[in-house]
Amino acid sequence: MTTTDQRIDQLADALEASGDLSDPTWRRTMHVVPRHLFVPERGYALPCRYDLGPAEHVIDKAADPEQWWAAVYSDMSIITQRDDGASDPTDPEGSASSSISAPGIVFPFLELLGPTKGERILDIGTGTGWTAALLSDRVGAENVTSVEIDPAVAAQAAENLRAAGHTPTLIVGDGFEGWPQGAPYDGIHVTAGVSDIPHAWVKQLRPGGRAVMPWMPEGLGGFQVKLTVNPDGHGIGTIHGRAGYMLLRSQRSSSYWKEHHRGEAQVTTTELPPKAIEDAGDGAELALIMNVPDLFVIRMLMGDGTMSYRLAVVGDPDGPWASIDSSPTGENTVTQYGDRRLWDEAENAFTWWREKGAPGAERFGLLVTEEGTRLWLDDPPKA
């Protein structure tokens, strides 16, 4: 019979092999804070990497305990709530609203934050309480404050943490506001996606303090971001890979693609297949985010083999839109409507990116001030 310690070591070995666990002290923390204490008996498991892990599936400890244990100690996120508690978490038709994140993204974020003993940490998005417990082991529970917006999720997290023997300060509130009563913090750890980084987080960090978060511009995936507060009190962000999380509830997307005024739309062709931008990597994607404000993108494979890309403006379903249909024969038909030609803007952004030497994500960064979040290339702009 496989013991819990053996399961933890097997998971840690896999994370080390994939490059998602490099600090060996987190392996010790994985034993001190075993993940199974924070996973409900029923949930829905999703692989961190679909090409490497098992397919998504329901887990039920009573019905199939071995499958439950296998999911808990694998690189899978586990959905614990859907539709803010209105739906069964095991029903894939519902919209996921809370989970315990996959270890393969939890530990890269914790290593990026780099908390040390005695530092004061604000944890935004308590969820099941697992990351609050991991942080408590690292810096001391008295130094961790964790904020959760959902009262039911927060109550369950409190039970999980008590059972696991950890006592961070737990707050029911909107993490978008941080928790100014406990500021200043040495670090902020965010477990929800954010499309526009709240300046409140920067204000609640001490000079030199840092925050880590999944930055998720609308419709264009997400990135691991580390912010550091400079002497001027601004947040300077660096990009460290991909990340995808559920968005902060106050920033949930209201975006969708809506075709309207079709008879007034302009139809042209393009020599640039949209997939060329998609395949160009993170740097090209960041160029679009930087140069095409509020862009929202949907990618669909049609029944006849045509790849269709739909572009719209975030939060403006009656605004400009574009569709680019790439047929299997190589023809790219562009249809655009509105006061902005979104595909033209995307093409121009891609041209700009190539003229800049096709920079990778490491050459981009973020500036966070009271005016908002700005993306930059090579050198931070002056606020």
Side-chain angles (χ1 to χ4, degrees):
M1 181 178 177
T2 306
T3 67
T4 300
D5 283 341
Q6 288 173 328
R7 292 181 187 275
I8 293 171
D9 281 329
Q10 288 168 2
L11 174 57
D13 289 344
L15 295 175
E16 287 180 353
S18 64
D20 294 322
L21 184 69
S22 58
D23 180 350
T25 59
W26 285 112
R27 179 189 285 261
R28 183 200 66 82
T29 301
M30 291 172 70
H31 283 276
V32 175
V33 186
R35 191 177 187 230
H36 70 269
L37 298 180
F38 299 87
V39 178
E41 292 198 352
R42 297 178 71 249
Y44 195 81
L46 296 166
C48 189
R49 295 181 178 86
Y50 278 87
D51 57 336
L52 296 178
E56 57 188 70
H57 60 277
V58 173
I59 58 170
D60 187 322
K61 190 176 183 181
D64 191 338
E66 180 52 37
Q67 184 187 54
W68 185 89
W69 281 99
V72 169
Y73 287 107
S74 65
D75 194 14
M76 305 187 83
S77 62
I78 298 171
I79 305 301
T80 57
Q81 186 197 68
R82 292 188 188 271
D83 298 315
D84 300 337
S87 301
D88 187 332
T90 66
D91 182 1
E93 297 300 317
S95 179
S97 51
S98 191
S99 71
I100 180 167
S101 299
I105 193 61
V106 167
F107 288 103
F109 266 120
L110 289 173
E111 292 193 0
L112 193 59
L113 181 65
T116 58
K117 191 69 176 178
E119 286 194 314
R120 302 185 67 253
I121 305 296
L122 176 63
D123 179 53
I124 294 176
T126 311
T128 66
W130 187 42
T131 55
L134 293 168
L135 288 164
S136 295
D137 178 69
R138 181 54 58 99
V139 303
E142 69 278 8
N143 295 311
V144 176
T145 299
S146 189
V147 181
E148 171 58 51
I149 195 170
D150 189 301
V153 172
Q156 183 60 58
E159 289 186 21
N160 295 342
L161 285 158
R162 279 194 296 270
H166 300 280
T167 56
T169 299
L170 301 180
I171 304 295
V172 178
D174 188 351
F176 180 85
E177 304 294 338
W179 186 247
Q181 293 89 327
Y185 303 100
D186 298 292
I188 296 178
H189 176 260
V190 184
T191 66
V194 54
S195 58
D196 192 25
I197 300 169
H199 189 250
W201 298 351
V202 176
K203 289 176 63 177
Q204 291 171 35
L205 285 166
R206 64 165 177 79
R210 68 275 183 210
V212 296
M213 69 202 67
W215 179 57
M216 297 175 61
E218 295 281 358
L220 288 171
F223 299 88
Q224 297 176 51
V225 165
K226 179 178 182 179
L227 286 182
T228 303
V229 177
N230 68 11
D232 296 325
H234 302 137
I236 302 296
T238 49
I239 296 171
H240 299 267
R242 306 294 308 202
Y245 274 63
M246 301 170 201
L247 283 165
L248 284 171
R249 294 195 181 183
S250 57
Q251 294 192 355
R252 282 176 174 171
S253 175
S254 59
S255 304
Y256 58 93
W257 190 86
K258 177 182 175 183
E259 183 181 290
H260 55 90
H261 295 84
R262 176 80 188 198
E264 300 172 33
Q266 178 189 45
V267 181
T268 59
T269 60
T270 179
E271 295 298 316
L272 175 64
K275 197 171 189 308
I277 301 178
E278 182 181 7
D279 292 344
D282 294 348
E285 184 173 321
L286 288 163
L288 262 66
I289 296 168
M290 183 174 178
N291 292 288
V292 188
D294 302 318
L295 182 65
F296 176 68
V297 179
I298 301 174
R299 174 182 180 273
M300 297 183 292
L301 179 63
M302 313 305 284
D304 62 356
T306 297
M307 187 65 70
S308 183
Y309 294 79
R310 311 293 177 87
L311 281 57
V313 173
V314 171
D316 188 7
D318 296 315
W321 57 267
S323 66
I324 308 91
D325 298 313
S326 297
S327 72
T329 60
E331 297 173 345
N332 302 293
T333 303
V334 179
T335 307
Q336 301 185 89
Y337 170 82
D339 57 356
R340 291 175 60 185
R341 292 295 189 254
L342 295 178
W343 174 248
D344 294 349
E345 292 183 29
E347 276 199 336
N348 291 338
F350 189 62
T351 298
W352 173 87
W353 175 74
R354 289 191 295 192
E355 289 174 348
K356 293 294 183 180
E362 71 282 353
R363 286 176 55 188
F364 289 85
L366 295 170
L367 173 69
V368 182
T369 68
E370 291 182 352
E371 284 70 43
T373 302
R374 294 166 60 188
L375 190 61
W376 47 266
L377 176 68
D378 291 332
D379 296 301
K382 293 184 179 179

